């Protein structure tokens, strides 16, 4: 933790706003004091993933609580995002730090061209000494293209910028083995793998009522980042300075895997399948156990509308998703390929059909 140079910090709405909506300037300044000091030392690069746009827009629009409908959430985000960035800009200016705003939807991590653009912008901002502030683009995001919570977004951004550490800030000082408000609950200092979380009661809602996450989403984000080789610290906003300085605080998630390609990470965690391919038992074994490509002979059915290059789910006969991959054919082409060998298809339809439906290099396994 002490040696981490590039750090992604995620802060939730409950750490920045009041329960009734509106930014808490003192809370924002307290966070910026910590980030400004770390950034100003010159040995650390900070990327801030900040929630709070919708919550900040509630009071100005006369809304007493976070609306349930998407249209009013978008309206609140439109008002609140400007207030949020203006507050950050003014607060970071005290340290002579310029900030840059980046608003993302899941499309920006699942579409390759958008993904490259986002990565290039973040890299350039950091190279120029600016501090990127990332948020989901709630103003235009629909249900179909939402991350759903900024915890998962933070994990993907950490991979996108090749971060050395992800710090998830909450209103709780770590992960507990039960409800932290109940007597007897103990903080879990380290998580080395999924086995350390067996039997742990993980809450799904925050106390403030202005956010969308909870401990469930933070643990899932930590799992995503750790599986990609990025260590994670989960602690409270009040202890952000300890996390950034490498002191023991909160819950530390050890890396459980190696850094994967950007393409495979977004394919597994950020892409939206456009359809499904149903596999026979032999194909399921070949894809899941032997890590082979999916050939036409192993397909038993096709569902949905998609075009070549789209992400699709690979399902077994019982309908369970076993993998996800980038398909090499349009949905309308698949029916005439089902159950046939590539050699047979090449003789009848041409050499373009002597190939995999999903290549193993464009495929991720969803269950062991």
């Amino acid at each position: 933790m002490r040696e981490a140079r590039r750090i992604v910090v995620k802060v939730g709405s409950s750490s920045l706003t009041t329960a009734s909506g509106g930014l808490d300037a003192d809370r924002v300044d307290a966070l910026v004091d910590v980030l400004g000091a770390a950034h100003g030392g010159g040995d650390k690069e900070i990327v801030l993933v900040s929630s709070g746009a919708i919550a900040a827009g509630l009071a100005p629009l006369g809304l007493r609580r976070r609306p349930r409908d998407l249209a009013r959430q978008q309206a609140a985000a439109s008002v609140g995002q400007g207030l949020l960035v203006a507050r950050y800009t003014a607060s970071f200016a005290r340290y002579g730090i310029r900030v840059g705003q980046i608003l993302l939807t899941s499309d920006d991590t699942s579409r390759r061209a958008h993904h490259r653009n986002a990565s290039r912008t973040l890299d350039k901002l950091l190279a120029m000494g600016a501090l990127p502030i990332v948020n989901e683009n709630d103003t235009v995001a629909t249900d179909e293209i939402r991350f759903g919570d900024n915890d998962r977004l933070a994990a993907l951004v950490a991979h996108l910028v090749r971060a050395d550490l992800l710090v998830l800030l909450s209103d709780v000082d770590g992960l507990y083995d039960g409800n932290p408000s109940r007597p007897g609950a103990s903080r879990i200092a380290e998580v080395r793998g999924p086995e350390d979380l067996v039997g742990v009661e993980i809450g799904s809602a925050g106390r403030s009522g202005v956010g969308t996450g909870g401990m469930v989403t933070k643990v899932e984000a930590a799992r995503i980042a750790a599986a990609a080789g990025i260590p994670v610290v989960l602690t409270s906003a009040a202890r952000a300075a300890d996390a950034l300085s490498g002191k023991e605080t909160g819950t530390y998630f050890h890396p459980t895997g190696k850094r994967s390609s950007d393409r495979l990470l977004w394919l597994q965690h950020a892409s939206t399948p456009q359809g499904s391919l149903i596999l026979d038992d032999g194909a399921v074994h070949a894809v899941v156990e032997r890590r082979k490509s999916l050939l036409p002979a192993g397909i038993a059915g096709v569902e949905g509308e998609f075009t070549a290059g789209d992400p699709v789910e690979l399902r077994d006969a019982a309908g369970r998703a076993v993998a996800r991959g980038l398909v090499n054919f349009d949905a309308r082409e698949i029916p005439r390929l089902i159950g046939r060998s590539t050699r047979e298809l090449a003789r009848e339809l041409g050499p373009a059909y002597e190939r995999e439906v999903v290549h193993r290099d464009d495929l991720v396994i969803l269950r062991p």
Side-chain angles (χ1 to χ4, degrees):
M1 289 170 55
R2 291 187 181 92
E3 297 174 356
R5 182 173 185 273
R6 181 170 290 188
I7 304 173
V8 173
V9 178
K10 185 270 175 179
V11 63
S13 299
S14 60
S15 300
L16 300 173
T17 61
T18 64
S20 59
L23 289 172
D24 186 322
D26 291 338
R27 288 185 173 190
V28 174
D29 287 346
L31 174 64
V32 169
D33 287 342
V34 174
L35 301 183
H39 183 279
D43 61 336
K44 296 187 184 300
E45 296 176 329
I46 306 293
V47 177
L48 175 61
V49 177
S50 177
S51 300
I54 293 178
L58 297 182
L61 290 176
L63 299 172
R64 295 184 177 180
R65 60 182 63 87
R66 183 187 178 95
R68 294 177 179 268
D69 62 287
L70 181 60
R72 287 196 297 170
Q73 289 179 16
Q74 291 173 326
S78 179
V79 172
Q81 186 63 38
L83 297 173
L84 182 65
V85 173
R87 182 63 246 173
Y88 275 130
T89 300
S91 192
F92 275 111
R94 296 177 298 140
Y95 293 89
I97 298 173
R98 290 186 175 89
V99 302
Q101 175 180 249
I102 297 182
L103 300 177
L104 300 174
T105 68
S106 65
D107 256 10
D108 297 315
T109 55
S110 62
R111 294 183 182 273
R112 294 185 188 183
H114 293 201
H115 185 280
R116 287 195 299 269
N117 289 337
S119 177
R120 186 164 50 241
T121 301
L122 283 161
D123 283 343
K124 184 56 67 176
L125 282 170
L126 290 170
M128 298 178 73
L131 191 150
I133 298 177
V134 183
N135 195 0
E136 179 163 16
N137 196 351
D138 291 309
T139 299
V140 300
T142 63
D143 287 335
E144 290 76 17
I145 61 171
R146 295 176 71 90
F147 287 100
D149 63 80
N150 272 347
D151 296 312
R152 184 164 70 115
L153 172 59
L156 295 170
V157 168
H159 189 274
L160 190 67
V161 301
R162 302 170 300 281
D164 302 311
L165 178 68
L166 171 62
V167 177
L168 300 173
L169 301 179
S170 177
D171 51 2
V172 182
D173 65 343
L175 176 64
Y176 282 72
D177 59 7
N179 189 329
S181 65
R182 296 175 184 168
S186 299
R187 179 173 59 86
I188 301 173
E190 295 181 75
V191 175
R192 297 184 179 274
E195 63 279 359
D196 290 345
L197 299 179
V198 174
V200 176
E201 177 187 340
I202 302 175
S204 59
R207 295 198 300 260
S208 68
V210 296
T212 60
M215 197 55 67
V216 168
T217 65
K218 289 169 180 57
V219 171
E220 173 63 13
R223 185 188 68 80
I224 292 171
I230 303 170
V232 181
V233 175
L234 169 59
T235 190
S236 64
R239 301 189 178 183
D242 290 341
L244 293 179
S245 63
K247 296 180 181 178
E248 182 178 344
T249 184
T251 301
Y252 180 76
F253 291 80
H254 291 261
T256 58
K258 298 179 180 179
R259 293 181 187 263
S260 60
S261 71
D262 291 338
R263 183 180 73 260
L264 295 183
L265 191 75
W266 71 248
L267 181 61
Q268 182 167 2
H269 298 292
S271 65
T272 301
Q274 301 302 304
S276 301
L277 298 175
I278 311 304
L279 281 55
D280 62 27
D281 292 343
V284 170
H285 177 76
V287 168
V288 176
E289 303 297 335
R290 300 174 59 200
R291 300 299 198 266
K292 297 291 186 180
S293 300
L294 174 63
L295 300 176
I299 300 176
V302 58
E303 299 174 350
E305 295 291 334
F306 51 82
T307 58
D310 281 344
V312 296
E313 280 190 337
L314 309 186
R315 297 181 175 272
D316 62 15
R320 294 171 296 192
V322 298
R324 185 176 297 172
L326 303 179
V327 67
N328 287 325
F329 297 94
D330 296 348
R332 59 182 174 78
E333 297 179 280
I334 301 294
R336 61 178 174 172
L337 311 182
I338 289 177
R340 305 174 68 182
S341 71
T342 53
R343 183 173 300 177
E344 176 188 355
L345 290 168
R347 285 197 306 266
E348 179 181 330
L349 302 174
Y353 288 85
E354 193 174 9
R355 55 179 170 152
E356 307 85 353
V357 177
V358 179
H359 193 277
R360 63 184 180 183
D361 291 343
D362 293 324
L363 187 151
V364 291
I365 306 303
L366 299 182
R367 71 175 179 87

